Amino acid sequence: MPEPKLPARPRPRGPLTSLQLTAVAAVAGLLLAGGTAALAGPYDSSGQRVAEARRAAARPAPGAAGPQAAHRPLTSAGLPSPAPSAGPVLDGLRTGGGDTAGGRGPALAGRLDPLLAVDELGKGPSASVVDLTSGEQVYGNHAARAATPASVTKIATAVAALDALGPDHRIRTRVEKDGHRLVLVGGGDPTLTARAHPGEYASLRTLARRTAEALGTEHGTYTLVYDTSRYAGTTRHPIGPNENLAPVTPLIADEGRLDSSDHGPAARGTDPALDTARRFHDLLAEAGVKLRDEVETGDGKKAPAEDPSGSPKPGDDAKGGEDGKGGEDGGIASVSSAPLATIVERMLTYSDNDIAEHLARQTALATGAKADFKGGARAVHDRLDKLGLPVEDTSFHDGSGLDRADKLTPGLLTALLAEAARKDQPGLRPVLTGLPVAGFTGTLATRYTAEHNKAGTGLVRAKTGTLTGVNTLAGTVVTRSGRLLGFAFMSHDAPDPMAAQAALDKMATALAES
């Protein structure tokens, strides 16, 4: 099967303004200075990753890089690399206020009210805009009214997971030896891959090699068993079989995809845990381990009470977060995921439903809740409530937003963005750096190219949300004076989804022009 190749990033049409070039250069400068930023902390007192600050000192001045530089390089396998990790995404927080015509009271209402009232946005659309310097709401239209959020739910999931686990958390997949049984224990890493070029993600091939090395010259024939006891409940989302989400199991490679894709809709296996175990069986055999022909289905030896997928302890190897040995959990070999910050950014950039559902379960595990759909949703809600965010009248039913029963408010969404922007919350910063960049990355790569909204190119970073009859958009935008605003726009019962999408983009562009 050929290794996946991501499509080339579309370039925005027409010349960019100096402000757009500045915003684009803030993203591109980090990439030109040596590739994707290191995502595993530590953070300085301003909330910027130390690695980013060092690269920022060496990058060209804003505006020195053209728009073409903003297109991210791919990993060697074409796997999705993390979103641009731009520390300067918070530059607006440092410029302060003074933009009375571009963000406060009647002036902003005069811009947004007519745009929110268009027929393209259906019945009763709602909106909230906050100043991310102060967290103050500067515009609201039914901002406390709950509605189906679709994929902007992932912003809530990201905040909850990062707050509960920390940005440096890694998820471990391990192998235990019980006599002549080898037990493959799934820890819930949604980015585990069996592909030949894993990039920065945990590799099933590496785990097989390390297992063979750990067995050494031990003789005998082994039975491979796989353990999925880390999660509880059904693996199937309430929407049923769907190309947007694989069955949710703690043991899964390449998101259960049956083709070479790495994001977006794709046919999925019906039992990705068994498929992963069988693939691991083949890799072990290739590494010289003698095995019985069949994989033993079932959970094998149950996981110990302590967290088998917990963050590596200080002193573990920084690359991959492990030395490949089993450690105190009794395993003989292991691999660890990329830091949670990296995983969150990938989830937000590509609107990855698989990652979102796993992060909800990881949040549940970290907080003592049951790791199923209901428990994950409850854990996200409770974590946000603990942060003091406005969760009244909201309802969570999953981590991805695929469930139409989810209900969030524009006010909560902008409060989440404001929380992630706080200087005393640097661990939440991946929520902002993972947002797609208008005209350049992820789910906004092909948007903001029309004449009426191209002014938002490079200035708008936002999470999109789309279900039948539902269109939402939530993110950040830099105004003409350099202020950083957070916004959330929600619509439902729109007659034409593409027209609704364009109307939401026009509202975000209006903020950029304010």
Side-chain angles (χ1 to χ4, degrees), residues 91-417:
D91 277 350
L93 296 178
R94 293 185 275 274
T95 61
D99 186 14
T100 55
R104 299 186 184 279
L108 197 55
R111 285 180 176 272
L112 296 184
D113 282 347
L115 298 177
L116 194 64
V118 298
D119 292 339
E120 287 85 346
L121 292 179
K123 301 175 182 178
S126 53
S128 175
V129 181
V130 298
D131 182 328
L132 290 182
T133 306
S134 63
E136 174 191 1
Q137 186 180 74
V138 295
Y139 175 80
N141 192 319
H142 299 294
R145 184 168 64 194
T148 301
S151 280
V152 294
T153 300
K154 295 181 178 73
I155 296 175
T157 303
V159 169
L162 286 167
D163 185 65
L165 295 160
D168 299 326
H169 178 79
R170 298 173 189 263
I171 304 168
R172 181 165 292 173
T173 305
R174 74 184 193 277
V175 174
E176 294 182 353
K177 182 175 178 292
D178 178 19
H180 279 79
R181 287 157 43 101
L182 296 177
V183 185
L184 176 61
V185 183
D189 177 5
T191 60
L192 180 68
T193 178
R195 291 174 179 166
H197 304 287
E200 63 196 308
Y201 301 110
S203 168
L204 201 65
R205 293 169 183 256
T206 299
L207 183 58
R209 174 177 56 78
R210 290 177 175 172
T211 300
E213 291 172 352
L215 292 172
T217 58
E218 292 187 29
H219 300 292
T221 301
Y222 294 91
T223 297
L224 180 64
V225 182
Y226 65 96
D227 182 340
T228 60
S229 61
R230 187 74 175 140
Y231 292 169
T234 180
T235 63
R236 187 70 67 185
H237 191 280
I239 63 172
N242 192 284
E243 291 189 342
N244 290 295
L245 178 65
V248 184
T249 169
L251 181 62
I252 184 171
D254 300 303
E255 298 184 338
R257 295 172 182 272
L258 299 180
D259 59 18
S260 61
S261 67
D262 49 60
H263 65 281
R268 314 298 183 100
T270 58
D271 191 345
L274 178 58
D275 293 342
T276 301
R278 286 173 172 164
R279 181 69 179 116
F280 188 63
H281 181 282
D282 294 342
L283 292 170
L284 283 175
E286 292 172 10
V289 179
K290 190 174 182 181
L291 296 164
R292 291 184 172 83
D293 290 339
E294 295 299 319
V295 171
E296 182 179 315
T297 59
D299 288 339
K301 188 175 69 175
K302 298 299 181 181
E306 64 269 23
D307 183 357
S309 64
S311 299
K313 299 174 177 60
D316 280 355
D317 187 89
K319 185 177 181 181
E322 18 108 356
D323 58 12
K325 298 178 182 178
E328 295 179 1
D329 58 21
I332 62 171
S334 67
V335 290
S336 289
S337 71
L340 183 60
T342 303
I343 296 174
V344 163
E345 289 190 325
R346 174 173 166 177
M347 173 186 72
L348 293 172
T349 299
Y350 295 99
S351 197
D352 194 303
N353 297 304
D354 296 273
I355 292 177
E357 294 303 338
H358 284 272
L359 292 191
R361 279 167 166 72
Q362 293 292 328
T363 303
L365 290 167
T367 57
K370 189 175 182 180
D372 59 7
F373 283 105
K374 184 177 180 180
R378 169 54 62 181
V380 170
H381 173 279
D382 291 350
R383 200 70 190 183
L384 303 185
D385 187 33
K386 186 176 180 180
L387 285 170
L389 298 172
V391 294
E392 298 83 3
D393 300 321
T394 64
S395 179
F396 290 85
H397 294 269
D398 64 4
S400 62
L402 287 172
D403 196 321
R404 301 180 71 89
D406 291 330
K407 301 294 178 185
L408 303 186
T409 67
L412 172 60
L413 290 167
T414 51
L416 288 163
L417 296 167

